[in-house]
Amino acid sequence: ISINGLAQVKHVVLVLSGKGGVGKSTITTELALALVHAGKKVGILDVDLCGPSIPRMLSVGKPEVHQCDAGWVPVYADPQQKLAIMSIGFLLEDSDEAVIWRGPKKTALIGQFVSDVAWGELDILLVDTPPGTSDEHLAVLENLRKHRVDGAVLVTTPQAVSTGDVRREITFCKKTAVKILGIVENMSGFVCPHCSECSNVFSKGGGEELAKLTGSVFLGSVPLDPLLTATLEEGRDFLQAFPESSTYTAISQIVNTVLSSLDA
Amino acid sequence: WEVSSGESLNDCPGTSSDQAGKSSACQGCPNQNICASGAAKAPDPAIEEIRQKLTSVKHKILVLSGKGGVGKSTFSAHLSHALASDDSKEIALLDVDICGPSIPKIMGLEGEQVHQSGSGWSPVYVEDNLAVMSIGFLLSSPDDAVIWRGPKKNGMIKQFLRDVDWGEVDYLIVDTPPGTSDEHLSIVQYLSGAGIDGAVIITTPQEVSLQDVRKEIRFCKKVKIPVIGVIENMSGFVCPKCKNTSQIFPPTTGGAQRMCEELNLPLLGRVPLDPRIGRSCDEGRSFLTEVPDSPAAVAYQNIVQSNVYCLQNHCFFIFQMYVKIYISF
């Protein structure tokens, strides 16, 4: 039996940022949930080996990872098995255990995550990455060479310290021939729940400027929303809990744009 | 990796270990044969070279976090500024975030270049007594990506420690990228001769951050770096209009306070979110001088005025220094 884990995966989208802490895992999680609500079968491959956030955000805890004939069985976030996940978080006995690995070992595990996981039929596989342009990113691309990578969504916050790093990630995409599906500006303004005043906690406009500067599509802005952070903490589905929120609208628009560019 | 048999994923036994190349954790590592042959065991001569080079550096402090985007670079930069306010002290700030170097921008040094002299690379001076080194100074364009695997990053870090002409330094602050990987192992390895005083750990209040930070603390214990303490950054936001506080990054599991209680570590303090901090960083200015009245700057003051019990005397001395500087503002 051929262990080509991605044989039945229609689209692969990377979620990247040069910068840490901008919301890659958050955006990956919300994109995945939105796609599932839109009737798609989705997978999330979490290649952040030192700081895997996806299991908590989808409250999948520490299930066992089993093997079947076709490879490792991914963990499903839902009983209908619409959302499959693989993360090193599932493989650690102790969730506080540090994964203190140098590049080659990280590369080897990521290779296994790509090739040896029985993803089955998926409409989209989202790949959540750590910040940077190093071993993990190269390992993902090398292992995906046999399979098409549709492109990457780049996440930034509005401030220059963030866009400064994301510019380098854009260069990485150009050098590795990864199509940039667009840029998401996360943490874009905070609306005070007490008085509705909007504060630009992490500055303003940098994501849109970056898109213009680099000729990329601007996918949209997601506000800094304590309800979003709280639901992620608890591993709840934000989109089901707060469908009236402007954050929901922002995420839906981003998903629609990404889907259209995949179908195009 | 035989996960279903219950064996946990072990980390690398270390290239100098007796188990190098032979342990079950070595399966699948591309360097397995090198380690098994014993070739990797010889200590790197650079460690001794670095020890000698850094005899003129009195204290070395790492700024760490398992999590990205919590404010390591912001803290490293401002700790350096605060320490450098005492003209009699020489401060050095080393940025070992190879892929995402933020320090040049935050210190207002974008576009600066490094010069080579007979005694090595000259760091860039932002003040007469504050020297900075970052890969950012070696890149010619803000779009340049450093697409390097571990070994090349390690080589760069070795050069930063061995080949930079730091001179006489009272405090060397090392800013790191998030994680527990090549950069962190290399810094610890290359400074194993010269010694590290300790690490300051930065986190934000929410569990998604703390779960990564606990791993970093485990890393420190494993490689025997004393943890000076933990700072909880982005701890609440005070609306400038109505002055109510919102927990944007909620401490759903008790925040850094509960983690510090559980792990018996000092909580050095909490710094609130302030849009002016981000703006100062973007503009390359110290917010301690730009907005000394901001709740965040006041929080820094409280951090240093609170009683901090450190594992080593000289760590406490650093924060005493910080108090003196702060009060003079």
Side-chain angles (χ1 to χ4, degrees), chain A residues 65-115:
Chain A
V65 174
H66 298 287
Q67 214 175 5
C68 68
D69 285 342
W72 301 96
V73 180
V75 171
Y76 290 97
D78 60 323
Q80 300 80 19
Q81 300 199 339
K82 298 290 187 189
L83 180 48
I85 311 168
M86 182 50 70
S87 168
I88 201 176
F90 303 139
L91 307 176
L92 299 171
E93 296 252 316
D94 173 359
S95 53
D96 293 340
E97 187 182 326
V99 175
I100 310 173
W101 291 359
R102 288 193 185 270
K105 201 159 181 194
K106 292 196 282 190
T107 297
L109 183 63
I110 290 170
Q112 287 186 279
F113 273 175
V114 173
S115 314

Side-chain angles (χ1 to χ4, degrees), chain B residues 11-168:
Chain B
D11 43 356
C12 168
T15 52
S16 48
S17 147
D18 289 332
Q19 285 299 302
K22 299 173 191 151
S23 117
S24 58
C26 298
Q27 299 298 324
C29 175
N31 289 336
Q32 186 179 13
N33 288 340
I34 299 173
C35 285
S37 74
K41 263 198 211 174
D44 191 328
I47 295 173
E48 174 57 23
E49 289 169 352
I50 290 167
R51 189 198 65 76
Q52 284 177 15
K53 186 85 183 212
L54 298 185
T55 46
S56 58
V57 176
K58 294 206 186 90
H59 301 292
K60 302 160 215 77
I61 299 169
L62 305 188
V63 180
L64 301 172
S65 180
K67 185 83 184 66
V70 297
K72 289 177 289 308
S73 298
T74 303
F75 177 75
S76 302
H78 288 86
L79 176 61
S80 303
H81 275 302
L83 291 171
S85 301
D86 179 346
D87 288 339
S88 71
K89 298 293 177 204
E90 292 290 327
I91 311 301
L93 175 57
L94 171 59
D95 176 10
V96 299
D97 189 341
I98 307 290
C99 294
S102 304
I103 292 293
K105 183 181 281 291
I106 296 176
M107 299 299 281
L109 297 173
E110 273 195 312
E112 295 286 336
Q113 299 279 295
V114 163
H115 303 283
Q116 236 180 346
S117 73
S119 43
W121 292 356
S122 309
V124 177
Y125 283 85
V126 65
E127 311 277 351
D128 287 338
N129 65 337
L130 178 44
V132 182
M133 179 54 73
S134 167
I135 201 174
F137 301 138
L138 303 174
L139 302 172
S140 45
S141 153
D143 294 312
D144 282 349
V146 181
I147 310 173
W148 289 359
R149 292 186 194 271
K152 209 161 173 191
K153 293 194 283 187
N154 301 336
M156 185 86 262
I157 291 172
K158 186 194 317 198
Q159 284 192 277
F160 278 162
L161 292 169
R162 187 190 59 195
D163 300 341
V164 170
D165 187 18
W166 295 109
E168 297 286 329

